Amino acid sequence: MIVEEVPAALDGQRLDRIVALIGDISRSDASSTISDGGVKVDGLAVSSGKIRLVEGQRIEIDPAMFPVIELPGPDADVEFGVVHEDEHVIVVDKPPGLVVHPGAGNKLGTLANGLLHRFPDIEDVGDRMRPGIVHRLDAGSSGLLVVARTQEAADRLIAQFADHSATRVYDAMVWGVPDAPHGIIDAPLGRSRSDPLRMAVVADGRPSRTDYQVIGSYSEPALVSRLECRLETGRTHQIRVHLSSINHPLLGDPTYGQRRPNLGLQRPFLHAAQLQFVHPGTGERVTHHSPLAPDLQVWLDKLVV
């Protein structure tokens, strides 16, 4: 059972939209779940998704009532890199544009489908809709992601991401140059009050910290700087929202880029360059690296210091 209170960001929204957002399902699936009796509001069963809720109301959603969807199957056409594999883990180098697992609007052609083709043993590891996957990257981001091959490995990796002992370092390019060459953005994140599909810095959000270091600056075709960002927490869109909140949004970010030009970039300049964790099989702390994705490297080579 999923139990949530309506956050301020969703105050006044329709129930079917709220259920879709909380359950990570499509709007139509949310409507079906409600009409089939899978949702309660303040302890009472409801049958219509058209009602509007207010902040603080309690929603109970029974995931067992979600419409049955086809589990992801193997897909030989999904391309991705592998930088390490053993009997416990797979470290993937994800290309940009590849969705990590099926969800609302993305049923086929995901990394999960490709993993099932190359590593069929992960089928029963963790959630069947996202087999072996213990953390995510945005579809537009590239770089490193670790996948578990056994349930024991999954449990140990999930614990490390939860206690922040697994660390991730990102390569980012932002507008302008931060006043401080090194800083920590400590600002809680939650759903935007103006657009619940976006994340934002909100007073009642979840604690979130991003450590950044300026590693270079450029004057042409615009004043921009390259940052190394370390996640101390792992919230949805954390780096993108945090950098935008200090008025240095990612280049090429269509959602949080403050409507600035993309300067020829086709996606946000964000690459997961380093991943470090305690290996769930050996107990040793391991570090993996990924060179900057080719599309970003080609763009970077054209900049003028």
Side-chain angles (χ1 to χ4, degrees), residues 138-151:
D138 295 342
S141 300
S142 54
L144 298 175
L145 182 122
V146 63
V147 177
R149 296 189 75 167
T150 68
Q151 189 59 52

Side-chain angles (χ1 to χ4, degrees), residues 94-111:
K94 188 186 86 66
L98 180 61
V99 175
V100 172
H101 59 74
N106 295 289
K107 305 294 186 183
L108 303 171
T110 69
L111 175 62

Side-chain angles (χ1 to χ4, degrees), residues 154-200:
D155 293 341
R156 292 184 177 182
L157 288 169
I158 289 170
Q160 291 182 57
F161 283 105
D163 67 17
H164 315 308
S165 58
T167 59
R168 290 161 284 177
V169 179
Y170 288 77
D171 198 337
M173 190 74 69
V174 303
W175 284 95
V177 181
D179 292 336
H182 172 252
I184 295 177
I185 306 171
D186 189 345
L189 298 181
R191 293 200 179 275
S192 167
R193 289 178 171 79
S194 60
D195 182 357
L197 295 179
R198 295 177 49 169
M199 304 302 288

Side-chain angles (χ1 to χ4, degrees), residues 192-215:
S192 167
R193 289 178 171 79
S194 60
D195 182 357
L197 295 179
R198 295 177 49 169
M199 304 302 288
V201 173
V202 293
D204 58 349
R206 300 176 69 188
S208 308
R209 287 167 61 93
T210 302
D211 182 303
Y212 75 84
Q213 179 83 40
V214 177
I215 58 174

Side-chain angles (χ1 to χ4, degrees), residues 262-294:
N262 61 19
L263 301 181
L265 283 167
Q266 301 304 307
R267 52 118 168 174
F269 195 115
L270 188 64
H271 179 77
Q274 179 181 303
L275 177 63
Q276 189 176 87
F277 56 90
V278 174
H279 192 285
T282 67
E284 296 180 359
R285 191 159 187 85
V286 296
T287 304
H288 296 281
H289 299 272
S290 168
L292 191 62

Side-chain angles (χ1 to χ4, degrees), residues 192-263:
S192 167
R193 289 178 171 79
S194 60
D195 182 357
L197 295 179
R198 295 177 49 169
M199 304 302 288
V201 173
V202 293
D204 58 349
R206 300 176 69 188
S208 308
R209 287 167 61 93
T210 302
D211 182 303
Y212 75 84
Q213 179 83 40
V214 177
I215 58 174
S217 59
Y218 305 85
S219 59
E220 293 291 341
L223 181 61
V224 298
S225 54
R226 189 176 182 182
L227 307 185
E228 180 181 273
C229 296
R230 294 178 179 269
L231 289 183
E232 295 189 19
T233 53
R235 312 304 182 202
T236 300
H237 299 172
Q238 177 174 318
I239 291 176
R240 297 165 65 188
V241 177
H242 269 172
L243 292 175
S244 184
S245 75
I246 62 170
N247 206 33
H248 294 290
L250 284 177
L251 270 67
D253 191 335
T255 305
Y256 304 104
Q258 303 177 3
R259 299 184 179 180
R260 304 193 189 195
N262 61 19
L263 301 181

